Amino acid sequence: MKKINILLLTFYYPPDLGPAPLRAHSMVGALLKQSSGDVNIDVITTTPNRYTSMAVEDDVNDFREKVQIKRIRLPSHNGGMIDQSKAFAFFAWQVLKTVRNSEYDIVVASSSRLMTAFLASLIARQKGSSLYLDIRDLFTDTIGDILHPKIGIFLHPILGFLEQVTFRSADKINVVSPGFVNHVKKVAPGAKISVYTNGVDTVFHTVKNKKRAD
């Protein structure tokens, strides 16, 4: 049976903190569980960078059976929008260099601010791979709340175009909220859409049940 090569792009991955890395880690587990044959998964991510106080001294790369985690060490940044843009540009450039000589059957991306998904679409198109997108936020909807209105008005058409190109190139799109479905359908009418939410940690079920008992 032919080995299936999968590329998973995610800007955040454990031991980084927050729901994004945990979701990406769960996706790797699901891919391994659902793969019936021989599979190889390349995870390309960053070293923990969400919090400037968090530093990791471990090896950049982590090679395990069927899963290779390749971490890109970003230049130091303070977390502002400009710094984050520079950090992602560096990440994207390093990703393209890393995958240059690799072939993939499937490209998967977990993305909130669109650009990781757009990068995945470029790679999938270049490699002739199937593309699966996990969309955690609708950046074109939220950009107006993040940027100055004048900047937002300028960037919105550009981001809207990138979103359209990205979504329409995907073989399957998952969203984390049913409220995202209509937006995706408007951008990519022919898209195959699924909804897998982040869910609720079991600890909250315990708290809720305890309150009922009281």
Side-chain angles (χ1 to χ4, degrees), residues 126-142:
Q126 180 186 41
K127 305 292 184 182
S129 312
S130 299
L131 176 63
Y132 180 95
L133 300 179
D134 179 58
I135 302 301
R136 306 193 311 272
D137 200 359
L138 301 177
F139 192 44
T140 54
D141 271 2
T142 59

Side-chain angles (χ1 to χ4, degrees), residues 68-83:
Q68 293 77 45
I69 303 172
K70 302 177 182 179
R71 300 182 189 274
I72 294 171
R73 194 178 299 278
L74 301 179
S76 59
H77 62 90
N78 295 320
M81 183 61 69
I82 295 177
D83 275 359

Side-chain angles (χ1 to χ4, degrees), residues 18-153:
L22 294 177
R23 187 173 181 87
H25 185 263
S26 296
M27 290 174 68
V28 171
L31 287 169
L32 289 173
K33 186 176 181 180
Q34 295 297 322
S35 299
S36 57
D38 195 7
V39 64
N40 179 77
I41 303 174
D42 285 348
V43 179
I44 305 184
T45 184
T46 65
T47 54
N49 66 92
R50 185 182 292 271
Y51 304 102
T52 55
S53 60
M54 185 176 183
V56 175
E57 301 300 332
D58 295 339
D59 291 339
V60 173
N61 298 329
D62 186 0
F63 299 96
R64 308 175 189 179
E65 184 180 3
K66 296 186 178 182
V67 180
Q68 293 77 45
I69 303 172
K70 302 177 182 179
R71 300 182 189 274
I72 294 171
R73 194 178 299 278
L74 301 179
S76 59
H77 62 90
N78 295 320
M81 183 61 69
I82 295 177
D83 275 359
Q84 288 184 41
S85 298
K86 291 179 179 178
F88 182 81
F90 181 83
F91 172 71
W93 177 249
Q94 293 299 316
V95 168
L96 292 172
K97 287 173 59 179
T98 301
V99 304
R100 181 171 50 200
N101 297 320
S102 300
E103 296 298 327
Y104 297 102
D105 301 289
I106 304 170
V107 175
V108 181
S110 181
S111 180
S112 64
R113 294 186 178 175
L114 182 61
M115 297 312 296
T116 302
F118 176 67
L119 176 62
S121 72
L122 291 180
I123 295 172
R125 191 178 299 112
Q126 180 186 41
K127 305 292 184 182
S129 312
S130 299
L131 176 63
Y132 180 95
L133 300 179
D134 179 58
I135 302 301
R136 306 193 311 272
D137 200 359
L138 301 177
F139 192 44
T140 54
D141 271 2
T142 59
I143 189 172
D145 299 326
I146 300 173
L147 300 178
H148 188 280
K150 291 183 179 180
I151 300 177
I153 290 174

